[in-house]
Amino acid sequence: MSVRAGIVVTGTEVLTGRIQDLNGPWLADRLLELGVELAHITICGDRADDVEAQLRFLAAEGVDLIITTGGLGPTADDLTVATVARFCGVELVLDTELEARIAAILRTLMSRRPVADEDFDAVLAANRKQALVPAGAEILEPEGTAPGVVVDGPADGTPVVIVLPGPPRELQPMWSRAIATAAAQRAIAGRTEYRQATVRMFGLAESGLADALRDAQTRIAGFDALEITTCLRRGELEIVTRYEPEDDDTYRALVDFLAERYPQELFSADGSLIDEQIATLLTGRTIATAESCTAGMLAARLADRAGSSAYLAGGVVSYSNEAKVEMLGVDATLIATHGAVSEPVAIAMARGALQRFEADTAVGITGIAGPGGGSAEKPVGTVCFSVALAGREPLVRTLRLPGNRSDVRERATTVAMHLLRRELLACSATA
């Protein structure tokens, strides 16, 4: 690939791990979509010398484009713009029009609370440095108060530098404008156009997928033209394939091969998430949750999508046995006989949620997330699930989920989503 890029993530809070880097992975995906090879992602603290060292390192690696994130605020440790200007050999200049736009943004923000004129003047003075931009740079309108800039490198081969803010809510909407600038387009002009597609599977081990892909390599003509990466995410296998448009038939052959080999495990051939599929399948229905070991994580996941109020009636976190009895109507003798972590209790929890919320769909989850509480009969990781649809016998499963406490709880929500999908599809098929 002839076009390469590097990303410099700035921020001592990111370097020390207090804040997770969300920008690097997000930008990596955007570059991949463009057909630009990502050479490096570096993270450094809020020190001008360290930021410049990363810029020089990437330039020495021969990248055509550098993207920086963070360090655009008004405080003393926000040094990225000045450092990039020095790296590119240009002066910082005050853009008075930009300063006026920043002032208007600040006045709007501060109008929401009483503030004295002198207080506003102090805030404006503190934010004036955000209107200092490298001479000749293309300015990207701010999403908050910090503008981004695109600096074209001099003729000596210095890469084009895109300077973006740190907060993802500001960086992400600014990206499309940044990459559309004339300088950025010149930097990536030699890229190879690619398509990228995603297939998702559940219930298949990574080793099984690896075997399948080796088999596909011998069966599908032109297989080597596909660049395939796999990732285990939330208990699901995500298979991302990048290919040139002329290899579309080869990619289709791969999807058909996987669908034929794993008709139950392949649940998404178009990249859609299980959450999106569940939202569609719940159209016209109402769902309630009854959760013990996941303590509301399934309800939270169902509520993550905009518009979830159309189908999510509510949920009960019944962690104690008393809560299961009092809030969901689970028979105490059922718990005494079978234990709180059992299929009969999971069924009773789901049925109790149906009744309590007058819903037509419910999920019950009860399990042992650990690290303590397990036994030889019910070791840590044992989770019982039930999906109850009005008018149907409830679906019930017991699984032993791997990992630590956090892993077990997160995987349990994924299993519950897939059991729910299976039952909703079965109901639709018989309707």
Side-chain angles (χ1 to χ4, degrees):
M1 210 179 295
S2 57
V3 175
R4 285 157 43 91
I7 298 171
V8 180
V9 178
T10 71
T12 302
E13 69 282 4
V14 183
L15 180 65
T16 57
R18 293 196 300 273
I19 293 179
Q20 181 184 1
D21 172 32
L22 300 177
N23 293 328
W26 189 86
L27 288 168
D29 280 343
R30 303 293 79 74
L31 292 169
L32 191 65
E33 292 167 356
L34 289 170
V36 175
E37 179 183 4
L38 177 60
H40 300 277
I41 297 179
T42 69
I43 301 176
C44 67
D46 295 305
R47 294 174 292 273
D49 289 346
D50 291 341
V51 175
E52 187 168 0
Q54 305 310 307
L55 296 171
R56 296 196 181 283
F57 163 73
L58 292 174
E61 289 292 295
V63 302
D64 305 281
L65 177 67
I66 297 175
I67 306 161
T68 73
T69 75
L72 304 190
T75 60
D77 60 349
D78 291 314
L79 305 165
T80 304
V81 171
T83 305
V84 168
R86 185 169 64 250
F87 167 73
C88 292
V90 296
E91 297 292 326
L92 278 180
V93 296
L94 178 65
D95 187 313
T96 55
E97 291 185 3
L98 177 60
E99 183 181 22
R101 293 199 295 275
I102 293 173
I105 293 170
L106 289 171
R107 192 172 293 280
T108 298
L109 292 173
M110 297 181 70
S111 67
R112 298 169 185 169
R113 60 182 178 86
V115 59
D117 287 341
E118 57 268 24
D119 291 337
F120 176 77
D121 290 340
V123 171
L124 181 59
N127 282 267
R128 183 164 288 124
K129 68 175 293 188
Q130 294 179 307
L132 291 169
V133 297
E138 296 187 63
I139 298 170
L140 305 171
E141 285 299 305
E143 293 292 329
T145 61
V149 295
V150 180
V151 187
D152 201 353
D156 63 1
T158 300
V160 171
V161 184
I162 296 176
V163 181
L164 299 174
R169 67 181 181 276
E170 297 179 20
L171 176 146
Q172 292 180 12
M174 193 179 288
W175 167 251
S176 59
R177 301 197 300 275
I179 201 63
T181 60
Q185 287 297 302
R186 284 195 300 273
I188 66 173
R191 71 191 187 279
T192 301
E193 296 288 348
Y194 281 93
R195 290 179 181 170
Q196 181 172 301
T198 302
V199 166
R200 304 183 192 278
M201 305 178 78
F202 178 74
L204 176 67
E206 287 183 279
S207 57
L209 176 60
D211 289 340
L213 292 176
R214 282 192 291 269
D215 193 11
Q217 188 171 13
T218 64
R219 293 170 179 260
I220 299 174
F223 181 87
D224 290 342
L226 305 178
E227 182 181 319
I228 302 171
T229 58
T230 63
C231 176
L232 185 63
R233 195 189 305 272
R234 272 186 165 181
E236 299 170 347
L237 280 174
E238 182 181 87
I239 304 102
V240 179
T241 305
R242 188 172 62 162
Y243 56 93
E244 295 185 41
E246 64 215 46
D247 297 310
D248 188 70
D249 289 344
T250 304
Y251 176 71
R252 291 293 137 206
L254 172 64
V255 175
D256 291 343
F257 172 85
L258 293 173
E260 182 178 354
R261 186 153 176 165
Y262 300 109
Q264 298 301 318
E265 292 81 359
L266 196 155
F267 71 90
S268 173
D270 60 2
S272 60
L273 299 169
I274 185 68
D275 308 63
E276 297 167 343
Q277 296 181 11
I278 290 295
T280 299
L281 289 168
L282 285 172
T283 300
R285 307 185 70 93
T286 54
I287 186 170
T289 62
E291 302 179 64
S292 182
C293 68
T294 49
M297 290 174 67
L298 178 61
R301 188 163 172 180
L302 289 168
D304 269 347
R305 296 189 58 77
S308 59
S309 59
Y311 52 79
L312 180 57
V316 170
V317 175
S318 54
Y319 220 79
S320 69
N321 291 343
E322 292 78 10
K324 292 177 177 66
V325 173
E326 294 174 10
M327 302 179 72
L328 294 170
V330 177
D331 190 338
T333 60
L334 202 64
I335 298 175
T337 302
H338 300 281
V341 179
S342 63
E343 291 187 357
V345 170
I347 293 172
M349 289 171 63
R351 284 174 167 164
L354 281 180
Q355 182 176 359
R356 184 175 185 89
F357 292 97
E358 297 181 350
D360 54 38
T361 308
V363 180
I365 307 174
T366 179
I368 306 167
S375 65
E377 181 183 357
K378 297 176 183 178
V380 169
T382 301
V383 184
C384 301
F385 305 85
S386 180
V387 179
L389 271 60
R392 291 174 60 90
E393 283 298 308
L395 172 70
V396 62
R397 292 287 186 276
T398 298
L399 296 175
R400 170 84 183 279
L401 302 179
N404 59 26
R405 180 179 181 84
S406 177
D407 294 332
V408 169
R409 297 175 73 217
E410 184 174 58
R411 286 174 185 268
T413 66
T414 298
V415 171
M417 294 287 276
H418 282 274
L419 291 175
L420 175 60
R421 173 182 177 272
R422 182 183 305 177
E423 194 66 359
L424 288 170
L425 287 173
C427 184
S428 298
T430 57

